[in-house]
Amino acid sequence: MATMEDLKTALKETLFKRGVLGDIKAKIRAEIFAALDDQDVNRPRLNDENLLINELIREYLQYNNYHHALSVFLAESGQPAQPVMERVHMARELRVSEDAKSRSVPLMYGLVRGIRPTLAEPLKPDPQPIPKRGDLFSQEPEPFEFTKF
């Protein structure tokens, strides 16, 4: 006869194999974030720019099957559960021209591909010299000592 511990282990393994365990954990995390959400924290207002950026992140997370991260992201960001922009609208806003191949991946991939030639250029030396420690602080920082409790 199986012990209670054997049943727990079998249930946990079954839920893991079916992909349900991760979903449950993500939902619990999202609910914990919502419950602990500090209303005094000033989050960026969900203006058009933030909505667009959040939709790019949502599309990326969904494409890569990061469903757990997505559920926490939506809860923490305040982004509506349902997408607020269609991909065509996002591409138009970002001035990204698409073809059949580019439509098969998230827009964020197209944006990264678009800036890659710029990233591949050699870095030019910064005309500003690196400041010395004394230039960064108006006065020397106070010494810090660890104390035991």
Side-chain angles (χ1 to χ4, degrees), residues 25-129:
K25 286 180 178 179
K27 287 177 183 173
I28 290 172
R29 278 188 216 107
E31 289 301 322
I32 289 171
F33 275 121
L36 298 176
D37 188 19
D38 187 358
Q39 298 302 319
D40 295 333
V41 173
N42 290 329
R43 285 198 178 101
R45 194 173 56 82
L46 287 178
N47 58 22
D48 291 345
E49 188 175 61
N50 285 352
L51 285 170
L52 176 61
I53 292 167
N54 289 351
E55 286 302 317
L56 287 169
I57 293 168
R58 177 201 310 261
E59 182 187 37
Y60 169 80
L61 293 174
Q62 285 175 330
Y63 176 81
N64 287 292
N65 294 317
Y66 298 153
H67 302 295
H68 311 310
L70 177 61
S71 67
V72 173
F73 170 72
L74 293 176
E76 195 170 10
S77 68
Q79 188 79 358
Q82 297 301 316
V84 294
M85 290 183 208
E86 292 183 17
R87 182 187 172 104
V88 175
H89 177 72
M90 291 192 302
R92 191 175 331 121
E93 285 291 313
L94 296 167
R95 295 181 177 91
V96 173
S97 59
E98 294 197 283
D99 57 20
K101 184 178 179 185
S102 66
R103 281 188 207 94
S104 67
V105 295
L107 280 167
M108 201 173 301
Y109 286 94
L111 294 173
V112 170
R113 273 190 216 113
I115 64 168
R116 227 185 222 140
T118 306
L119 295 175
E121 294 174 7
L123 291 176
K124 296 175 185 165
D126 191 353
Q128 306 245 339

